[in-house]
Amino acid sequence: MSVLIPKELNTILDYTPQKYKDMYQRVQRATQVLTTDAEPEVAPTPKEVVWTRNKTKLYRYISDHPKKHKVPLLFVYALINKPYILDLTKGGSLIEFLVERGFDVYLLDWGTPGYEDKKMKLDDYIMDYIPRAVRKVLRKSNADEVSILGYCMGGTITSMFAALHPELPIRNLIFMTSPFNFDNSGAYGAMLDDRYFDIDKVVETLGCIPPEMIDYGNKMINPMGTNFGPFISLVERADNENFIKSFKLLQKWLNDGILFPGEAYRQWIRDFYQKNKLIKGEMVIRGQKVNLENIRANVLNLAGKNDLIAPPHQVEALMNAISSEDKEFKVLPVGHTSITYGSQATKITYPTIAEWLIKRSN
């Protein structure tokens, strides 16, 4: 680490104990990171657009590695933030990891909604977008079946899609920190209680929900840890360039939020957090009741032991609701984000998914 020290401080620093010199340099480096350092490059894995609809793009990842598995894999992300958390940096990318192991990998990127998309509902994503993307994947890969990995809210949406489309050839489903039972949702439940949180007034006032509001809600789960913890760690570890790289990557992603279409948000809060309709079998999408028993594909359901956004009990609830004979629930020693990026992700999450998929993709 090279930090320039102003000349006028040289004399003072000559008589300063070394630990305080080190602290000064860490504070100065942390200041550079937050004010003048360039933003990191993200989403390094090569890809091409193979289908579009409205703002949504379907990407297929390009690789020199030969395809080893017959069943292609489609990633479905949440309507919150951007999906490049799944392909954050070389050596820290779940997508790169699977591409290098011979999987034909696709990503459904919802794009960046605008105010004109405020009427978009979960129904539209589940009944129009995902089915067409799946059919495109099957045609492009010349495959008879498909695997789908849903992360966070993307997994909850995928479960409804799979339950409503038994005609589509889905062999494998992987859910990663996806909530299914919202009955005991902790701080979220308290904040979103319909006695205090008027979802209709919120949507009618805002149209689309700004990312700052979503981010604020997430940070209120652990306000001290999420608001101040990363910056305290930055000062303490500013002499570690590997830590700084990870810090900048995650901060870029966390601050790169997108609008949440108002009608979809209304459903997400009312039907899930306030009424818990999915696990009760009361969820209706475009006139059809969502019956999770219709899911018969092989299922790997992953939770994070330290996840405050979708705790393990919310994730595990899926297991008794589906009809799959081959189904497995695992709790990994990670959090909601560290399940897909970080040292534990590369050591545990990536191999767990790859090994499970390899056995079921030929």
Side-chain angles (χ1 to χ4, degrees):
M1 177 178 67
S2 176
V3 177
L4 295 176
I5 299 174
K7 292 179 180 179
E8 57 268 25
L9 288 179
N10 282 339
T11 302
I12 297 173
L13 290 175
D14 285 342
Y15 296 97
T16 300
Q18 186 60 43
K19 66 177 182 178
Y20 296 115
K21 291 180 183 178
D22 294 342
M23 182 184 296
Y24 172 78
Q25 289 201 326
R26 289 198 303 271
V27 169
Q28 194 173 37
R29 179 69 183 108
T31 303
Q32 287 178 346
V33 170
L34 296 172
T35 59
T36 61
D37 274 14
E39 283 197 346
E41 297 292 328
V42 296
T45 308
K47 59 186 180 292
E48 61 179 347
V49 177
V50 296
W51 175 79
T52 63
R53 180 183 172 91
N54 192 12
K55 311 293 173 57
T56 299
K57 293 182 175 69
L58 176 64
Y59 291 107
R60 185 185 194 182
Y61 288 87
I62 302 165
S63 172
D64 294 330
H65 295 274
K67 298 292 186 291
K68 297 180 180 177
H69 312 292
K70 291 191 301 184
V71 182
L73 172 63
L74 171 64
F75 279 86
V76 177
Y77 188 59
L79 300 177
I80 306 165
N81 289 102
K82 294 183 179 178
Y84 61 74
I85 186 65
L86 295 160
D87 183 34
L88 200 54
T89 188
K90 281 188 173 296
S93 163
L94 175 57
I95 285 173
E96 175 193 53
F97 187 90
L98 294 171
V99 166
E100 289 182 348
R101 278 148 188 81
F103 286 97
D104 197 2
V105 178
Y106 296 77
L107 169 69
L108 194 55
D109 182 345
W110 302 118
T112 302
Y115 188 74
E116 66 275 11
D117 299 306
K118 65 180 182 177
K119 297 295 185 183
M120 288 283 292
K121 300 179 70 175
L122 296 180
D123 307 46
D124 300 310
Y125 298 106
I126 292 166
M127 303 304 289
D128 298 330
Y129 286 70
I130 302 178
R132 295 185 186 189
V134 166
R135 293 186 179 100
K136 186 66 176 181
V137 167
L138 291 168
R139 288 196 300 272
K140 280 300 274 188
S141 292
N142 194 26
D144 297 323
E145 295 175 291
V146 66
S147 298
I148 306 176
L149 187 154
Y151 179 28
C152 182
M153 179 190 183
T156 315
I157 292 172
T158 295
S159 73
M160 293 186 283
F161 156 75
L164 290 170
H165 293 86
E167 80 283 1
L168 290 175
I170 304 169
R171 184 189 287 192
N172 304 306
L173 289 169
I174 299 172
F175 300 104
M176 203 162 67
T177 62
S178 300
F180 299 100
N181 187 347
F182 296 77
D183 190 40
N184 180 15
S185 52
Y188 276 135
M191 287 189 288
L192 299 172
D193 190 306
D194 58 8
R195 292 173 296 176
Y196 318 115
F197 189 80
D198 188 337
I199 183 60
D200 292 328
K201 185 172 290 186
V202 170
V203 173
E204 287 159 15
T205 301
L206 298 174
C208 288
I209 310 307
E212 294 82 4
M213 179 173 166
I214 305 292
D215 184 55
Y216 181 79
N218 288 336
K219 286 180 176 176
M220 287 303 293
I221 303 284
N222 177 18
M224 293 299 291
T226 53
N227 282 291
F228 304 108
F231 303 99
I232 292 170
S233 296
L234 174 62
V235 172
E236 290 175 342
R237 303 178 66 183
D239 53 357
N240 183 333
E241 288 299 322
N242 287 330
F243 173 82
I244 286 175
K245 176 185 175 183
S246 291
F247 175 89
K248 290 196 291 187
L249 285 164
L250 284 174
Q251 288 301 308
K252 176 179 173 62
W253 176 73
L254 288 168
N255 293 321
D256 202 6
I258 58 175
L259 288 173
F260 197 134
E263 288 304 319
Y265 183 76
R266 192 198 308 263
Q267 289 175 288
W268 182 241
I269 301 304
R270 172 170 289 156
D271 293 346
F272 293 84
Y273 282 97
Q274 294 181 345
K275 299 191 179 297
N276 198 22
K277 288 184 177 181
L278 179 61
I279 206 69
K280 291 179 179 178
E282 299 171 359
M283 189 70 196
V284 175
I285 295 292
R286 201 171 284 173
Q288 297 184 52
K289 185 169 285 190
V290 179
N291 185 356
L292 293 174
E293 289 183 0
N294 291 337
I295 295 177
R296 294 180 171 82
N298 307 321
V299 168
L300 176 63
N301 191 15
L302 301 177
K305 181 180 179 181
N306 308 315
D307 191 346
L308 300 178
I309 292 176
H313 70 272
Q314 288 189 270
V315 178
E316 186 179 14
L318 176 74
M319 305 309 285
N320 291 329
I322 59 179
S323 301
S324 307
E325 293 183 8
D326 181 351
K327 56 184 178 180
E328 186 174 357
F329 173 68
K330 285 191 173 186
V331 180
L332 306 182
V334 294
H336 194 74
T337 301
S338 58
I339 196 169
T340 189
Y341 176 71
S343 59
Q344 293 295 88
T346 55
K347 292 175 185 175
I348 300 174
T349 309
Y350 299 1
T352 297
I353 292 172
E355 290 166 12
W356 187 88
L357 264 181
I358 286 168
K359 295 176 183 176
R360 297 163 177 83
S361 296
N362 294 309

